[in-house]
Amino acid sequence: MIPQKNNKVFYHEKLNVIVEYIHNHLDSKIDIKTLAELSNFSPYHFHRISKALLGESIGAYISRTRMETAAKMIRYTHLDIETIAYNVGFETPSSLSKKFKSYFGISPMGYRKDKSYNLKLNQKMDRSLNIKKPKIITIEDKSCLYYRMQGAYQTLDYKGAWPKLWAEVKAQKLFTKGIEHLGLPYDDPKVTEEDKIRYDACLVIHKDAKPSGDIGVKTLKGGKFAVFLYQGSYSHFADVYDYMFNDWLLNTDYQLRDAPTREKYISNPERTEEHKLKTEFYIPIE
């Protein structure tokens, strides 16, 4: 571990490379994959670390920077809207106008004529999360059956995955106490194309098993984890990750290991009210 006072500095040094690149390339397409490579952040954690440091996603930061740069050019220069559009990465003035009005509530020409207009955006309301402070634990390797799904997270057939796995438990007579339901979200949708995003639904088992068709067998490597217990809807997972990486990680001595996070589903969603669902989040640290 590094001293606590240097943890944010360590991550900010990497982030500065990304921010500098963004500001120097507003007039061209900015590829998120390029930013991830420049940052040298773990591919598992690039988006979450950058969001924790910036206070918003990389995509939102790029969009906001373009809009604010355009607004400054409109207000303080005599450049025409077409030139401004090209300077901040839009192919046509109409594309900039549409985005600018959606973002600020006024058209570029409208703002040029009325520079007293207050370009103030609605602030996101804070959501109160029922999440406990983490336990720092070291866990052993675990064997599991897994079913891999690929595609945008919100479109995956989670409900269909678990019956497939339990059918294999029954077929191979693997049932014991202590079988755990884990989810491994490998990829960041802000970095990886939707059709290539991977998610493994896993059942931790305690007997030897064999792969069967689309059901695989593998070992989940152990190590040190920060474990957070959250109670609430699965739809708020994004807020939970924001809390773990922003409010917690950056204010600790810990650094992330190059390994995926884990989600342990404690409650049965078919028998539990949505606001009472319990989930443990395992953040790999060193």
Side-chain angles (χ1 to χ4, degrees):
M1 294 189 296
I2 58 176
Q4 181 172 342
K5 66 179 181 180
N6 291 330
N7 206 20
K8 284 188 178 181
V9 173
F10 172 79
Y11 287 115
H12 270 293
E13 286 176 352
K14 293 187 175 185
L15 180 74
N16 286 342
V17 176
I18 304 173
V19 171
E20 190 69 18
Y21 181 92
I22 291 171
H23 284 265
N24 289 332
H25 292 82
L26 288 179
D27 61 346
S28 58
K29 182 179 179 181
I30 298 175
D31 183 34
I32 301 296
K33 289 183 178 179
T34 299
L35 298 181
E37 292 170 358
L38 287 171
S39 72
N40 289 319
F41 286 146
S42 161
Y44 293 118
H45 309 301
F46 165 72
H47 178 61
R48 289 172 181 141
I49 296 174
S50 58
K51 185 176 182 180
L53 293 168
L54 292 170
E56 59 190 331
S57 69
I58 281 287
Y61 180 82
I62 294 171
S63 180
R64 179 173 62 80
T65 301
R66 283 191 163 125
M67 289 300 96
E68 292 179 355
T69 301
K72 291 174 184 176
M73 289 181 176
I74 292 167
R75 184 180 180 90
Y76 299 112
T77 77
H78 297 291
L79 294 173
D80 57 69
I81 301 302
E82 182 177 14
T83 300
I84 293 173
Y86 297 149
N87 284 344
V88 295
F90 287 87
E91 295 182 356
T92 64
S94 60
S95 297
L96 170 62
S97 296
K98 183 178 179 180
K99 181 70 174 181
F100 195 92
K101 187 170 184 178
S102 172
Y103 200 83
F104 290 121
I106 191 172
S107 69
M109 286 306 299
Y111 183 53
R112 172 155 279 176
K113 293 176 182 178
D114 181 11
K115 294 179 181 177
S116 63
Y117 184 85
N118 186 6
L119 299 180
K120 185 177 181 181
L121 298 175
N122 292 326
Q123 299 298 313
K124 180 181 177 182
M125 293 181 63
D126 291 332
R127 175 179 285 126
S128 178
L129 295 173
N130 186 351
I131 186 168
K132 297 185 181 298
K133 292 182 179 180
K135 297 181 294 184
I136 307 301
I137 64 174
T138 299
I139 61 177
E140 304 289 335
D141 293 354
K142 296 185 177 184
S143 297
C144 74
L145 292 175
Y146 72 97
Y147 174 67
R148 174 158 295 177
M149 295 181 282
Q150 196 159 311
Y153 287 131
Q154 64 271 24
T155 67
L156 298 180
D157 182 18
Y158 300 104
K159 289 185 177 180
W162 304 111
K164 284 178 175 284
L165 290 165
W166 277 106
E168 200 58 39
V169 168
K170 182 178 180 180
Q172 296 192 40
K173 299 180 180 180
L174 301 173
F175 182 78
T176 62
K177 291 183 179 180
I179 291 179
E180 301 172 78
H181 293 70
L182 298 182
L184 302 183
Y186 284 98
D187 300 302
D188 179 353
K190 297 295 184 180
V191 177
T192 305
E193 295 178 12
E194 284 191 348
D195 63 341
K196 296 181 175 63
I197 291 173
R198 300 162 299 156
Y199 172 92
D200 287 351
C202 307
L203 289 182
V204 173
I205 54 174
H206 308 285
K207 293 183 178 181
D208 292 336
K210 297 179 181 179
S212 176
D214 54 5
I215 303 297
V217 178
K218 65 179 176 179
T219 299
L220 300 178
K221 293 296 183 181
K224 182 182 289 187
F225 291 84
V227 182
F228 296 79
L229 176 61
Y230 160 70
Q231 181 175 309
S233 172
Y234 295 157
S235 64
H236 298 164
F237 276 11
D239 297 300
V240 175
Y241 278 108
D242 284 348
Y243 167 79
M244 293 186 296
F245 282 81
N246 192 357
D247 293 2
W248 182 77
L249 177 67
L250 295 184
N251 294 299
T252 70
D253 299 344
Y254 300 105
Q255 292 189 46
L256 293 166
R257 286 190 289 113
D258 189 14
T261 57
R262 301 178 187 179
E263 300 168 357
K264 180 179 176 180
Y265 313 114
I266 299 173
S267 307
N268 184 336
E270 295 182 359
R271 302 175 184 174
T272 308
E273 294 179 66
E274 189 174 15
H275 69 282
K276 293 183 179 180
L277 292 169
K278 291 184 178 181
T279 309
E280 285 185 342
F281 292 80
Y282 290 69
I283 308 300
I285 57 174
E286 56 186 11

